[in-house]
Amino acid sequence: MTGNPIKVLFLSPEVVPFAKSGGLADVAGSLPLALKRMGMDVVLVMPYYRTIKDKHLKGRWVVKDLEVPFGNDRLQADVFMTSLAKGIPVYLIDREDLYDRPNLYGTPRGDYYDNLERFAFFAHASLCLMESIDFRPDIIHCHDWQSGLIPAILKGPYGRSKHFSRTATIFTIHNLGYQGLFPAQKLPITGLDYRNFFHADGLEFWGNMSLLKSGIVYADAVTTVSPTYSMEIQTSEYGMGMEGILQYRQEFLYGILNGIDYHQWDPAKDKHIPETYYPNRMKGKMKCKDALIQEMNMDASFKNKPLAGMISRLDNQKGLDLLVAILEKILALDMGLIILGAGDVKIQRAIRKTADHHPGRVGLYIGFNEPLAHRIMAGVDIFLIPSRYEPCGLTQMYALKYGTVPVARATGGLQDTIIPFDKSTGEGNGFLFGPHAAEAFLASIEQALECYKDPQTWKRIQSNGMQADFSWDRSAEMYTEVYQTVLKKRNILA
Ligand code: ADP
Ligand code: GLC
């Protein structure tokens, strides 16, 4: 890159290692590092959730009593600064009544009733902070509905601000299923007015306001996390009602595949697993399997039998209903299964009920457990991802690196990263099924088990997967191109 470094304000509601509920956090914790390597000047802002406070991070208070407009009021916030890595500051917005709660977005009873207030405040506080510390971003890169208001308020209440007169916005959709829907009468809290913003070409969505739609409509460019998903979301099957507006914005819509962080996810140096391994030394994987079988109280006979795993948010998106539907049949094939998941109580109950019938053959851990996720990734042979839709999906990329063969639905990023194994050529790294149907999923598992029986074939599939490279640098280059395109369009970059 020549000239002045591009200044990026990166806004995500979750960032590894500070707070995580899903893949967005992994992305927000690693893409900024890659952007920094490309020579950009990156800062992050996120809420100072209780779970972050509990970590007692090193850092210092940098702003006290930041004045933030909030509807007709002004509220104050304090700001704590820590860092993601050397030279990448992370500003944490502290406002106890909004963020000092047990979870990020809600409880098992549902979302926090005041999420609009929480994230509208976050949006305004982020911009006020930029003014207060005098950081003038060229790009504000927003992620998912929680930061979807930013592109709109930059055109509304901050439209005349000199501070942001040279700022362009990028909005990344990680998941169209979370639309940030709130009742229309709450619009004044956002600082936007009805006449200019609450209409079909604005953030109005079937009578409600949608913060996701706000991001899609008002950002200079919209990206999503895989090429296939960027096409899918323009169809009625996957568009979740947003297909029209996405088609309308097609010229500014980019599908950029996520990368993964090989510092955290590499079986050759993973600190969470009992023994490390790499393509020419796979013995370690056997040890990981043995240890996992013990840890999860599985029947010892599974040491010599296929063992499948799943690590997932328990959400309708992830297709666990298909798994429950075929569970008896896959167990009849003498395959063991280990599931790690947190989320929806109904899905929890359904899986627990089936798992309880098969002690020793189904290992279940309900909860969020990062080290266990690593041990499962290393210890199982097959990884199951029967998603209804999957914008990108990170676990299949982790699985490939760990010599764990994915069996997944052909959709979104799963389709962009998994190449179906072809016995005749020896090419391919996993198994894909088309329709979201239990029989198709089962048939795909059976195909995998067939290959598992022949150690040479299995080795080949594993080694094909382990060679794949999904590191961030290539994706970061594509983001850079998008940044440069929007800056040029706005005549900000010569
Ligand atoms: P999504 O973002 O839709 O949940 P991804 O595949 O992109 O799906 O990312 C999921 C991330 O969350 C992965 O890093 C996965 O290992 C992790 N994860 C999901 N559920 C759990 C859990 N119960 N415990 C630990 N890690 C989990
Ligand atoms: C979302 C998607 C997932 C994607 C992740 C990170 O939560 O469900 O497919 O990998 O975001 O972009």
Side-chain angles (χ1 to χ4, degrees), residues 14 20-27 174-175 178 258 265 311-314 317-318 340-343 365-374 377 383 385 389-396 398:
E14 47 185 273
K20 166 165 171 174
S21 80
L24 166 58
D26 299 66
V27 172
H174 292 264
N175 196 328
Y178 299 89
N258 285 331
W265 292 95
I311 302 167
S312 179
R313 281 185 297 114
L314 301 180
Q317 172 194 349
K318 300 293 182 180
L340 165 62
Y365 183 107
I366 299 281
F368 197 90
N369 188 331
E370 184 89 27
L372 180 58
H374 287 249
M377 208 47 100
F383 201 76
I385 319 178
Y389 70 94
E390 197 59 75
C392 179
L394 302 176
T395 53
Q396 81 279 13
Y398 301 150

Side-chain angles (χ1 to χ4, degrees), residues 107-346:
T107 67
R109 285 182 212 278
D111 289 345
Y112 290 133
Y113 66 93
D114 56 350
N115 272 346
L116 176 67
E117 286 80 350
R118 299 174 76 225
F119 289 101
F121 185 80
F122 169 58
H124 284 275
S126 301
L127 296 184
C128 294
L129 175 66
M130 291 303 104
E131 291 173 337
S132 153
I133 60 170
D134 200 21
F135 185 87
R136 290 170 190 258
D138 299 304
I139 296 284
I140 302 185
H141 191 158
C142 307
H143 297 266
D144 276 356
W145 72 262
Q146 293 89 339
S147 52
L149 265 183
I150 298 272
I153 58 177
L154 279 171
K155 292 196 158 60
Y158 299 82
R160 286 160 189 265
S161 158
K162 282 222 173 84
H163 198 84
F164 300 106
S165 62
R166 296 169 65 80
T167 301
T169 53
I170 308 285
F171 182 68
T172 297
I173 302 169
H174 292 264
N175 196 328
L176 213 53
Y178 299 89
Q179 304 191 326
L181 293 177
F182 300 99
Q185 65 269 24
K186 282 191 160 190
L187 188 75
I189 288 168
T190 65
L192 300 170
D193 63 273
Y194 286 96
R195 195 167 61 85
N196 289 308
F197 291 91
F198 195 74
H199 48 74
D201 297 328
L203 51 64
E204 187 269 342
F205 188 67
W206 300 104
N208 285 314
M209 65 172 131
S210 160
L211 269 48
L212 181 88
K213 191 175 172 210
S214 164
I216 296 173
V217 170
Y218 294 107
D220 291 294
V222 178
T223 72
T224 189
V225 288
S226 70
T228 295
Y229 194 58
S230 76
M231 305 305 289
E232 286 176 338
I233 56 179
Q234 297 179 54
T235 66
S236 55
E237 191 185 349
Y238 289 97
M240 299 185 166
M242 298 282 175
E243 58 274 15
I245 187 69
L246 287 160
Q247 284 162 18
Y248 179 72
R249 296 235 57 198
Q250 191 181 44
E251 194 192 331
F252 305 94
L253 174 63
Y254 304 83
I256 302 177
L257 192 72
N258 285 331
I260 57 172
D261 184 350
Y262 287 118
H263 291 293
Q264 307 214 23
W265 292 95
D266 179 353
K269 48 186 185 215
D270 191 328
K271 291 194 184 73
H272 299 296
I273 63 178
E275 187 146 335
T276 55
Y277 59 92
Y278 45 89
N280 291 329
R281 197 187 163 281
M282 292 294 280
K283 264 200 214 141
K285 186 163 175 70
M286 283 304 297
K287 290 230 167 116
C288 292
K289 182 171 174 180
D290 291 354
L292 182 68
I293 285 172
Q294 263 201 345
E295 177 180 359
M296 299 299 292
N297 290 320
M298 302 286 287
D299 193 307
S301 68
F302 281 113
K303 285 184 181 181
N304 304 309
K305 292 179 190 168
L307 183 62
M310 189 162 175
I311 302 167
S312 179
R313 281 185 297 114
L314 301 180
D315 183 282
N316 193 34
Q317 172 194 349
K318 300 293 182 180
L320 286 123
D321 48 329
L322 292 195
L323 186 69
V324 171
I326 62 166
L327 197 71
E328 300 285 340
K329 288 188 181 146
I330 51 180
L331 295 180
L333 298 169
D334 230 2
M335 180 174 93
L337 180 63
I338 291 178
I339 306 170
L340 165 62
D344 189 297
V345 181
K346 275 200 204 118

